[in-house]
Amino acid sequence: MPSRTAWQALAQHPLGFLASAWPWRALAYLLSGVVFGAIAMVTLLIMAATGLVSLIVGVGAVLLLAVALSGIVVTRIERHRLRLVDPDPAPDPHRAPERPGLRGWLDTRLREPATWRELSFTAVSMTALWWMDLLVLAFALGLPPLLMTSPMDDPRAWPWLVIGLCLLPAAPYTITAWAGARAALTRLILAPRDGELGRELTEVRASRARLVDAFDAERRRIERDLHDGAQQRLVSINVMLGLAGLDAEPGSPVARQLALAQGEVTLAVNELRELSRGVHPKALTDHGLDAAVGNLTTRSALPVTVDIRLPYRLPAAVESTGYFVVAEALANATKHSRATQAEVHARLEADVLTLTVRDDGVGGADPAAGTGLVGLADRVAAADGRLRISSPAGGPTLLRVELPCR
Amino acid sequence: MPLNIVLAEDSPLLRDGLVSVLTRVGHQVPAAVGDADALIAAAHEHDPDIVITDVRMPPGNADDGLRAAVALREHRPTLPILVLSQYIEQSYATHLLDLGSETGIGYLLKDRVSAVTQFASAVEEVAAGATVMDPEVVRQLLRRRQDPLRRLTPREREVLSLMAEGRTNGEIARGLYVTEAAVNKHVSSILQKLDLRLDGQGHRRVLAVLAYLRA
């Protein structure tokens, strides 16, 4: 695996690293840091001093403004230099100016937090960082030769020669370690904040939740269409058949046929009802989680105790995720666990809905084995929630879900 | 004795079917409407003997029909209400029974309309002040109250669910092919086991049983 930064190279292959390009890149980073730091410091000091002196004339204000904005230029160069030891791109945190022209550019830049972060980095860089570069270079590359040459003046100082020789191989490590630290600090300060770059990141997260929302909305729509369309039609056909039955001679073949037809339509109506209930329970839309879970448990073959106390209706996405969790957990308990009873418990505390489903079955529910639990976990994760399960062999099984309701 | 009926159902097809059934058995339907607001207006205008309404309808397409019925009931506490629903949802049944009714309340699945004669007699019972609950509701309530019901024999449980549907002892006896005396014995045994105090007749007995099952 190739190393991605100087620091990684140092940590992963402490010996092979010596033969790689990384020590040289670190050296280049520090050398350019010293040169650039010195030039920038002198330039900025002169500009600031001239600005202060000529403030009376008015030109000074422009110079001081340039100093204030200097961070933009300095850090742009710093980002380029960063590639020497950390090739990952460091994106520019600045927004595009809202209006064209110099005024628009100035307006945007002066009101951006990134600009001031860059100025403070420049200040730190001027006062400390490039001096540190200088010190490290002096210690790693300057000190060993100094020690090794000391016996020339005084033959009894030969131990210094040994110490110098020992220090020399350490130089690449010292240089790379500091270069890596400096690069990490630079990246930390200069990388765009979540709010600047993060529009993309939050978009991605939100879209996953949106997908689930869209899916829920679609289920609600299908349920409504079934209810308003096919179900009503079938029921009215059945009513017509019933009316026709009134006109038929009791016991005649026509009456028998009509009764048969009615029986068939009734079965179809029942099947359709079960189907649409599975798609999206109506009570969930109308009355919320408590009522929907109550209805679910009255139909369940397993006796279930429900204790759901919520102060108000929760967001639709939370309600349907919660319902889905309970339905799936109870279905699992009924199918696999040989449980004799189950409990559903829900409370809202500090904007988090905590749902627990417990059954006294044989346990051994394994997320790796069934797709049901994995589906649940996906569903809960999409709602930014947590799902935990405890199901030792021999039971009981406890499933706990926390869903944020913001 | 023809009844004066106001009807609310949002599906035109089923609305027509319902009107046909009701007029066919000799009742009058001065207003058949398709949304909750029109239901309230029609009920105030025609002062019916009974209101029959679907649960889900415009304007909100949620439980607007049920809420309109509850509002009408508050306005006129003796107005008989028969609610028809595509689904049996316990929460709706409970909501209705919470009206603290001394007079007719009914909750039936829409499919029951197709059994024309039974449906017609359910309408008449509710209009006369009885409580009619869909067997499906009773079945679910029975399932919910597993614990004390375990003390009942299977036959007693059968009798209890028929009681909850509003049958008299005579009807129960005919339905189960036993003598009325046997049913009386079952009933008193049930009452003893469940610690229920019932004043024998009609819908009060139903309400007591339902109240017990819901508790």
Side-chain angles (χ1 to χ4, degrees), chain A residues 175-227:
Chain A
I175 290 172
T176 310
W178 166 245
R182 178 171 171 167
L185 180 71
T186 305
R187 177 174 285 283
L188 199 67
I189 299 180
L190 297 190
R193 294 290 183 264
D194 260 1
E196 289 155 1
L197 174 74
R199 269 187 293 276
E200 287 170 49
L201 290 176
T202 44
E203 277 299 309
V204 172
R205 239 205 327 271
S207 78
R208 189 170 59 163
R210 262 209 310 274
L211 198 64
V212 174
D213 281 355
F215 186 64
D216 275 338
E218 191 61 7
R219 288 171 80 111
R220 272 196 292 274
R221 193 188 60 77
I222 293 170
E223 188 274 329
R224 205 175 45 239
D225 288 354
L226 278 176
H227 174 275

Short mmCIF file of all heavy atoms in Angstrom, two decimals, chain A residues 175-227:
data_model
loop_
_atom_site.label_atom_id
_atom_site.label_comp_id
_atom_site.label_asym_id
_atom_site.label_seq_id
_atom_site.Cartn_x
_atom_site.Cartn_y
_atom_site.Cartn_z
N ILE A 175 13.29 15.87 10.41
CA ILE A 175 12.75 16.79 9.41
C ILE A 175 11.35 16.35 8.99
O ILE A 175 10.40 17.14 8.96
CB ILE A 175 13.69 16.85 8.18
CG1 ILE A 175 14.98 17.59 8.58
CG2 ILE A 175 13.01 17.55 7.01
CD1 ILE A 175 16.05 17.54 7.53
N THR A 176 11.20 15.05 8.68
CA THR A 176 9.91 14.56 8.21
C THR A 176 8.85 14.66 9.30
O THR A 176 7.70 15.01 9.04
CB THR A 176 10.02 13.11 7.73
OG1 THR A 176 11.14 13.02 6.84
CG2 THR A 176 8.77 12.67 7.00
N ALA A 177 9.25 14.37 10.56
CA ALA A 177 8.27 14.43 11.64
C ALA A 177 7.71 15.84 11.78
O ALA A 177 6.50 16.05 11.85
CB ALA A 177 8.92 13.99 12.96
N TRP A 178 8.60 16.84 11.77
CA TRP A 178 8.12 18.22 11.89
C TRP A 178 7.34 18.64 10.64
O TRP A 178 6.29 19.29 10.74
CB TRP A 178 9.27 19.19 12.16
CG TRP A 178 8.86 20.63 11.94
CD1 TRP A 178 9.34 21.47 11.00
CD2 TRP A 178 7.85 21.35 12.66
NE1 TRP A 178 8.69 22.68 11.07
CE2 TRP A 178 7.78 22.63 12.09
CE3 TRP A 178 7.00 21.03 13.71
CZ2 TRP A 178 6.89 23.60 12.52
CZ3 TRP A 178 6.11 22.00 14.16
CH2 TRP A 178 6.05 23.28 13.57
N ALA A 179 7.83 18.23 9.46
CA ALA A 179 7.11 18.60 8.23
C ALA A 179 5.70 18.03 8.27
O ALA A 179 4.73 18.71 7.92
CB ALA A 179 7.87 18.06 7.01
N GLY A 180 5.59 16.77 8.75
CA GLY A 180 4.26 16.16 8.83
C GLY A 180 3.37 16.90 9.81
O GLY A 180 2.20 17.17 9.53
N ALA A 181 3.94 17.27 10.97
CA ALA A 181 3.15 17.98 11.98
C ALA A 181 2.69 19.32 11.44
O ALA A 181 1.54 19.72 11.59
CB ALA A 181 3.98 18.18 13.24
N ARG A 182 3.62 20.02 10.77
CA ARG A 182 3.27 21.33 10.25
C ARG A 182 2.20 21.21 9.17
O ARG A 182 1.29 22.02 9.09
CB ARG A 182 4.52 22.01 9.67
CG ARG A 182 4.14 23.32 9.11
CD ARG A 182 5.25 24.21 8.68
NE ARG A 182 4.62 25.33 7.99
CZ ARG A 182 5.23 26.44 7.69
NH1 ARG A 182 6.46 26.61 8.00
NH2 ARG A 182 4.58 27.39 7.06
N ALA A 183 2.31 20.16 8.34
CA ALA A 183 1.32 19.97 7.28
C ALA A 183 -0.05 19.68 7.88
O ALA A 183 -1.07 20.20 7.42
CB ALA A 183 1.73 18.82 6.38
N ALA A 184 -0.05 18.87 8.96
CA ALA A 184 -1.33 18.54 9.58
C ALA A 184 -1.99 19.79 10.16
O ALA A 184 -3.20 20.01 10.01
CB ALA A 184 -1.12 17.50 10.69
N LEU A 185 -1.17 20.62 10.81
CA LEU A 185 -1.69 21.87 11.38
C LEU A 185 -2.24 22.78 10.27
O LEU A 185 -3.32 23.35 10.37
CB LEU A 185 -0.57 22.58 12.15
CG LEU A 185 -0.96 23.91 12.81
CD1 LEU A 185 -1.88 23.65 13.99
CD2 LEU A 185 0.27 24.69 13.27
N THR A 186 -1.46 22.88 9.17
CA THR A 186 -1.88 23.71 8.05
C THR A 186 -3.22 23.24 7.50
O THR A 186 -4.14 24.02 7.30
CB THR A 186 -0.81 23.64 6.93
OG1 THR A 186 0.44 24.00 7.48
CG2 THR A 186 -1.17 24.56 5.78
N ARG A 187 -3.33 21.92 7.31
CA ARG A 187 -4.57 21.37 6.76
C ARG A 187 -5.74 21.64 7.71
O ARG A 187 -6.84 22.00 7.29
CB ARG A 187 -4.41 19.86 6.53
CG ARG A 187 -5.67 19.19 6.03
CD ARG A 187 -5.44 17.75 5.68
NE ARG A 187 -4.71 17.59 4.43
CZ ARG A 187 -5.24 17.73 3.23
NH1 ARG A 187 -6.51 18.07 3.11
NH2 ARG A 187 -4.52 17.56 2.16
N LEU A 188 -5.46 21.49 9.01
CA LEU A 188 -6.52 21.68 10.01
C LEU A 188 -7.10 23.09 9.93
O LEU A 188 -8.32 23.30 9.97
CB LEU A 188 -5.94 21.43 11.40
CG LEU A 188 -6.93 21.13 12.51
CD1 LEU A 188 -7.60 19.78 12.25
CD2 LEU A 188 -6.21 21.09 13.85
N ILE A 189 -6.18 24.07 9.82
CA ILE A 189 -6.66 25.46 9.82
C ILE A 189 -7.20 25.87 8.46
O ILE A 189 -8.20 26.57 8.35
CB ILE A 189 -5.52 26.42 10.24
CG1 ILE A 189 -5.04 26.07 11.66
CG2 ILE A 189 -6.00 27.87 10.20
CD1 ILE A 189 -3.93 26.93 12.16
N LEU A 190 -6.57 25.40 7.38
CA LEU A 190 -6.90 25.91 6.05
C LEU A 190 -7.97 25.09 5.32
O LEU A 190 -8.54 25.55 4.35
CB LEU A 190 -5.66 25.99 5.17
CG LEU A 190 -4.59 26.96 5.68
CD1 LEU A 190 -3.51 27.14 4.64
CD2 LEU A 190 -5.22 28.31 6.02
N ALA A 191 -8.24 23.85 5.81
CA ALA A 191 -9.27 23.06 5.11
C ALA A 191 -10.62 23.74 5.30
O ALA A 191 -10.88 24.35 6.34
CB ALA A 191 -9.31 21.65 5.69
N PRO A 192 -11.48 23.66 4.28
CA PRO A 192 -12.79 24.30 4.41
C PRO A 192 -13.58 23.67 5.55
O PRO A 192 -13.48 22.47 5.79
CB PRO A 192 -13.46 24.00 3.07
CG PRO A 192 -12.45 23.40 2.20
CD PRO A 192 -11.29 22.98 3.02
N ARG A 193 -14.36 24.49 6.28
CA ARG A 193 -15.24 23.97 7.32
C ARG A 193 -16.45 23.29 6.66
O ARG A 193 -16.73 23.54 5.49
CB ARG A 193 -15.74 25.11 8.22
CG ARG A 193 -14.64 25.76 9.03
CD ARG A 193 -14.15 24.81 10.11
NE ARG A 193 -13.15 25.45 10.96
CZ ARG A 193 -11.84 25.32 10.79
NH1 ARG A 193 -11.37 24.61 9.79
NH2 ARG A 193 -10.99 25.90 11.62
N ASP A 194 -17.16 22.47 7.48
CA ASP A 194 -18.36 21.79 6.95
C ASP A 194 -19.33 22.75 6.29
O ASP A 194 -19.94 22.45 5.28
CB ASP A 194 -19.09 21.06 8.08
CG ASP A 194 -18.75 19.59 8.04
OD1 ASP A 194 -17.97 19.22 7.16
OD2 ASP A 194 -19.28 18.84 8.88
N GLY A 195 -19.45 23.93 6.89
CA GLY A 195 -20.41 24.89 6.35
C GLY A 195 -19.98 25.42 4.99
O GLY A 195 -20.80 25.87 4.21
N GLU A 196 -18.65 25.39 4.73
CA GLU A 196 -18.15 25.94 3.47
C GLU A 196 -18.14 24.88 2.37
O GLU A 196 -18.63 25.07 1.27
CB GLU A 196 -16.73 26.50 3.69
CG GLU A 196 -16.77 27.77 4.52
CD GLU A 196 -15.48 28.03 5.27
OE1 GLU A 196 -14.53 27.24 5.14
OE2 GLU A 196 -15.43 29.03 6.01
N LEU A 197 -17.58 23.70 2.74
CA LEU A 197 -17.56 22.60 1.78
C LEU A 197 -18.81 21.78 1.98
O LEU A 197 -19.36 21.19 1.06
CB LEU A 197 -16.33 21.75 2.08
CG LEU A 197 -16.19 20.47 1.27
CD1 LEU A 197 -15.77 20.81 -0.13
CD2 LEU A 197 -15.20 19.55 1.93
N GLY A 198 -19.23 21.80 3.28
CA GLY A 198 -20.18 20.82 3.79
C GLY A 198 -21.53 20.84 3.14
O GLY A 198 -22.33 19.95 3.38
N ARG A 199 -21.83 21.88 2.36
CA ARG A 199 -23.12 21.84 1.67
C ARG A 199 -23.28 20.51 0.95
O ARG A 199 -24.31 19.89 1.00
CB ARG A 199 -23.23 23.00 0.70
CG ARG A 199 -23.86 24.23 1.34
CD ARG A 199 -24.10 25.28 0.32
NE ARG A 199 -22.85 25.82 -0.20
CZ ARG A 199 -22.16 26.78 0.39
NH1 ARG A 199 -22.60 27.30 1.52
NH2 ARG A 199 -21.04 27.23 -0.10
N GLU A 200 -22.20 20.04 0.35
CA GLU A 200 -22.27 18.76 -0.36
C GLU A 200 -22.53 17.60 0.60
O GLU A 200 -23.38 16.77 0.38
CB GLU A 200 -20.95 18.48 -1.08
CG GLU A 200 -20.75 19.33 -2.30
CD GLU A 200 -19.34 19.17 -2.82
OE1 GLU A 200 -18.91 18.01 -2.96
OE2 GLU A 200 -18.68 20.17 -3.06
N LEU A 201 -21.77 17.60 1.73
CA LEU A 201 -21.91 16.49 2.67
C LEU A 201 -23.31 16.41 3.24
O LEU A 201 -23.93 15.37 3.24
CB LEU A 201 -20.92 16.66 3.82
CG LEU A 201 -19.46 16.45 3.47
CD1 LEU A 201 -18.59 16.75 4.66
CD2 LEU A 201 -19.25 15.01 3.03
N THR A 202 -23.84 17.54 3.72
CA THR A 202 -25.17 17.51 4.31
C THR A 202 -26.21 17.15 3.25
O THR A 202 -27.16 16.46 3.53
CB THR A 202 -25.53 18.85 4.97
OG1 THR A 202 -25.12 19.88 4.09
CG2 THR A 202 -24.82 19.01 6.29
N GLU A 203 -25.96 17.59 2.03
CA GLU A 203 -26.85 17.22 0.93
C GLU A 203 -26.96 15.70 0.82
O GLU A 203 -28.03 15.15 0.73
CB GLU A 203 -26.29 17.74 -0.41
CG GLU A 203 -26.63 19.18 -0.69
CD GLU A 203 -28.12 19.38 -0.80
OE1 GLU A 203 -28.76 18.64 -1.56
OE2 GLU A 203 -28.66 20.27 -0.12
N VAL A 204 -25.80 15.04 0.86
CA VAL A 204 -25.79 13.60 0.69
C VAL A 204 -26.57 12.93 1.79
O VAL A 204 -27.41 12.07 1.56
CB VAL A 204 -24.35 13.07 0.67
CG1 VAL A 204 -24.33 11.56 0.68
CG2 VAL A 204 -23.62 13.58 -0.56
N ARG A 205 -26.33 13.37 3.06
CA ARG A 205 -27.05 12.76 4.18
C ARG A 205 -28.54 12.99 4.04
O ARG A 205 -29.33 12.09 4.19
CB ARG A 205 -26.54 13.36 5.48
CG ARG A 205 -25.96 12.32 6.41
CD ARG A 205 -26.01 12.73 7.84
NE ARG A 205 -25.84 14.16 8.03
CZ ARG A 205 -24.67 14.77 8.20
NH1 ARG A 205 -23.57 14.08 8.15
NH2 ARG A 205 -24.61 16.06 8.41
N ALA A 206 -28.88 14.23 3.74
CA ALA A 206 -30.30 14.57 3.65
C ALA A 206 -30.98 13.77 2.55
O ALA A 206 -32.11 13.38 2.68
CB ALA A 206 -30.45 16.06 3.38
N SER A 207 -30.24 13.50 1.47
CA SER A 207 -30.91 12.84 0.36
C SER A 207 -31.24 11.40 0.71
O SER A 207 -32.22 10.85 0.23
CB SER A 207 -30.06 12.91 -0.90
OG SER A 207 -29.05 11.96 -0.83
N ARG A 208 -30.43 10.79 1.61
CA ARG A 208 -30.76 9.43 2.01
C ARG A 208 -32.08 9.43 2.79
O ARG A 208 -32.96 8.61 2.56
CB ARG A 208 -29.63 8.84 2.87
CG ARG A 208 -29.84 7.38 3.13
CD ARG A 208 -28.64 6.74 3.76
NE ARG A 208 -28.35 7.40 5.04
CZ ARG A 208 -27.58 6.85 5.96
NH1 ARG A 208 -27.02 5.70 5.74
NH2 ARG A 208 -27.33 7.47 7.09
N ALA A 209 -32.20 10.41 3.70
CA ALA A 209 -33.45 10.51 4.45
C ALA A 209 -34.59 10.85 3.50
O ALA A 209 -35.70 10.35 3.66
CB ALA A 209 -33.31 11.59 5.52
N ARG A 210 -34.27 11.69 2.49
CA ARG A 210 -35.31 12.06 1.53
C ARG A 210 -35.81 10.86 0.76
O ARG A 210 -36.99 10.73 0.46
CB ARG A 210 -34.77 13.10 0.55
CG ARG A 210 -35.12 14.52 0.90
CD ARG A 210 -35.21 15.36 -0.35
NE ARG A 210 -34.04 15.20 -1.19
CZ ARG A 210 -32.92 15.89 -1.04
NH1 ARG A 210 -32.82 16.76 -0.07
NH2 ARG A 210 -31.90 15.70 -1.85
N LEU A 211 -34.87 9.96 0.46
CA LEU A 211 -35.24 8.76 -0.28
C LEU A 211 -36.25 7.95 0.51
O LEU A 211 -37.27 7.49 -0.02
CB LEU A 211 -33.97 7.92 -0.51
CG LEU A 211 -34.05 6.87 -1.59
CD1 LEU A 211 -34.27 7.53 -2.93
CD2 LEU A 211 -32.77 6.06 -1.60
N VAL A 212 -35.96 7.80 1.82
CA VAL A 212 -36.88 7.05 2.68
C VAL A 212 -38.22 7.78 2.75
O VAL A 212 -39.29 7.17 2.68
CB VAL A 212 -36.28 6.87 4.08
CG1 VAL A 212 -37.28 6.23 5.02
CG2 VAL A 212 -35.05 5.99 3.99
N ASP A 213 -38.16 9.11 2.89
CA ASP A 213 -39.40 9.89 2.92
C ASP A 213 -40.20 9.69 1.66
O ASP A 213 -41.41 9.51 1.70
CB ASP A 213 -39.08 11.39 3.07
CG ASP A 213 -38.74 11.73 4.51
OD1 ASP A 213 -38.87 10.82 5.35
OD2 ASP A 213 -38.37 12.87 4.77
N ALA A 214 -39.50 9.72 0.52
CA ALA A 214 -40.18 9.57 -0.76
C ALA A 214 -40.84 8.20 -0.83
O ALA A 214 -41.97 8.05 -1.31
CB ALA A 214 -39.19 9.74 -1.90
N PHE A 215 -40.11 7.22 -0.32
CA PHE A 215 -40.62 5.85 -0.33
C PHE A 215 -41.88 5.76 0.52
O PHE A 215 -42.88 5.17 0.11
CB PHE A 215 -39.52 4.94 0.24
CG PHE A 215 -39.84 3.49 0.18
CD1 PHE A 215 -40.00 2.86 -1.04
CD2 PHE A 215 -39.98 2.75 1.34
CE1 PHE A 215 -40.30 1.51 -1.10
CE2 PHE A 215 -40.26 1.39 1.28
CZ PHE A 215 -40.42 0.77 0.07
N ASP A 216 -41.84 6.40 1.70
CA ASP A 216 -43.02 6.42 2.57
C ASP A 216 -44.19 7.11 1.90
O ASP A 216 -45.33 6.65 1.97
CB ASP A 216 -42.70 7.14 3.88
CG ASP A 216 -42.05 6.20 4.87
OD1 ASP A 216 -42.24 4.98 4.70
OD2 ASP A 216 -41.38 6.67 5.78
N ALA A 217 -43.91 8.25 1.27
CA ALA A 217 -44.98 9.00 0.61
C ALA A 217 -45.60 8.14 -0.48
O ALA A 217 -46.83 8.12 -0.66
CB ALA A 217 -44.41 10.29 0.01
N GLU A 218 -44.73 7.39 -1.17
CA GLU A 218 -45.21 6.53 -2.24
C GLU A 218 -46.13 5.43 -1.67
O GLU A 218 -47.18 5.12 -2.24
CB GLU A 218 -43.99 5.91 -2.94
CG GLU A 218 -44.29 5.20 -4.23
CD GLU A 218 -44.90 6.11 -5.29
OE1 GLU A 218 -44.97 7.34 -5.08
OE2 GLU A 218 -45.32 5.57 -6.31
N ARG A 219 -45.72 4.86 -0.54
CA ARG A 219 -46.55 3.83 0.09
C ARG A 219 -47.90 4.41 0.49
O ARG A 219 -48.94 3.77 0.30
CB ARG A 219 -45.86 3.28 1.35
CG ARG A 219 -44.67 2.42 1.04
CD ARG A 219 -43.93 2.10 2.31
NE ARG A 219 -44.57 1.02 3.04
CZ ARG A 219 -44.05 -0.19 3.18
NH1 ARG A 219 -42.91 -0.48 2.62
NH2 ARG A 219 -44.67 -1.11 3.87
N ARG A 220 -47.85 5.64 1.06
CA ARG A 220 -49.13 6.27 1.43
C ARG A 220 -50.01 6.46 0.21
O ARG A 220 -51.22 6.25 0.27
CB ARG A 220 -48.87 7.62 2.11
CG ARG A 220 -48.66 7.51 3.60
CD ARG A 220 -48.81 8.87 4.27
NE ARG A 220 -47.72 9.75 3.89
CZ ARG A 220 -46.55 9.78 4.52
NH1 ARG A 220 -46.34 8.97 5.52
NH2 ARG A 220 -45.61 10.60 4.14
N ARG A 221 -49.38 6.85 -0.90
CA ARG A 221 -50.14 7.09 -2.12
C ARG A 221 -50.77 5.79 -2.64
O ARG A 221 -51.94 5.75 -3.01
CB ARG A 221 -49.24 7.69 -3.20
CG ARG A 221 -50.01 8.27 -4.38
CD ARG A 221 -49.08 8.67 -5.50
NE ARG A 221 -48.31 7.52 -6.01
CZ ARG A 221 -48.82 6.60 -6.82
NH1 ARG A 221 -50.08 6.66 -7.18
NH2 ARG A 221 -48.07 5.59 -7.23
N ILE A 222 -49.98 4.71 -2.63
CA ILE A 222 -50.50 3.42 -3.10
C ILE A 222 -51.68 2.98 -2.24
O ILE A 222 -52.72 2.55 -2.74
CB ILE A 222 -49.39 2.34 -3.07
CG1 ILE A 222 -48.32 2.67 -4.10
CG2 ILE A 222 -49.98 0.96 -3.34
CD1 ILE A 222 -47.08 1.81 -3.99
N GLU A 223 -51.50 3.14 -0.92
CA GLU A 223 -52.58 2.75 -0.01
C GLU A 223 -53.84 3.56 -0.31
O GLU A 223 -54.94 3.02 -0.36
CB GLU A 223 -52.12 2.96 1.44
CG GLU A 223 -53.08 2.40 2.47
CD GLU A 223 -54.18 3.37 2.85
OE1 GLU A 223 -53.94 4.59 2.82
OE2 GLU A 223 -55.28 2.89 3.19
N ARG A 224 -53.67 4.87 -0.54
CA ARG A 224 -54.82 5.74 -0.81
C ARG A 224 -55.49 5.34 -2.12
O ARG A 224 -56.71 5.26 -2.21
CB ARG A 224 -54.36 7.19 -0.86
CG ARG A 224 -55.49 8.16 -0.53
CD ARG A 224 -55.00 9.59 -0.45
NE ARG A 224 -54.12 9.93 -1.55
CZ ARG A 224 -52.87 10.35 -1.39
NH1 ARG A 224 -52.38 10.45 -0.19
NH2 ARG A 224 -52.13 10.66 -2.43
N ASP A 225 -54.66 5.05 -3.13
CA ASP A 225 -55.23 4.66 -4.42
C ASP A 225 -56.00 3.36 -4.32
O ASP A 225 -57.07 3.22 -4.90
CB ASP A 225 -54.12 4.52 -5.47
CG ASP A 225 -53.57 5.89 -5.86
OD1 ASP A 225 -54.14 6.89 -5.40
OD2 ASP A 225 -52.57 5.93 -6.60
N LEU A 226 -55.44 2.40 -3.58
CA LEU A 226 -56.17 1.14 -3.38
C LEU A 226 -57.50 1.41 -2.70
O LEU A 226 -58.54 0.89 -3.09
CB LEU A 226 -55.35 0.19 -2.50
CG LEU A 226 -54.26 -0.62 -3.17
CD1 LEU A 226 -53.51 -1.42 -2.12
CD2 LEU A 226 -54.87 -1.57 -4.19
N HIS A 227 -57.44 2.26 -1.66
CA HIS A 227 -58.63 2.56 -0.88
C HIS A 227 -59.68 3.26 -1.73
O HIS A 227 -60.85 2.90 -1.73
CB HIS A 227 -58.25 3.40 0.33
CG HIS A 227 -59.44 3.87 1.12
ND1 HIS A 227 -60.15 4.99 0.80
CD2 HIS A 227 -60.04 3.33 2.20
CE1 HIS A 227 -61.14 5.13 1.66
NE2 HIS A 227 -61.09 4.14 2.52
#
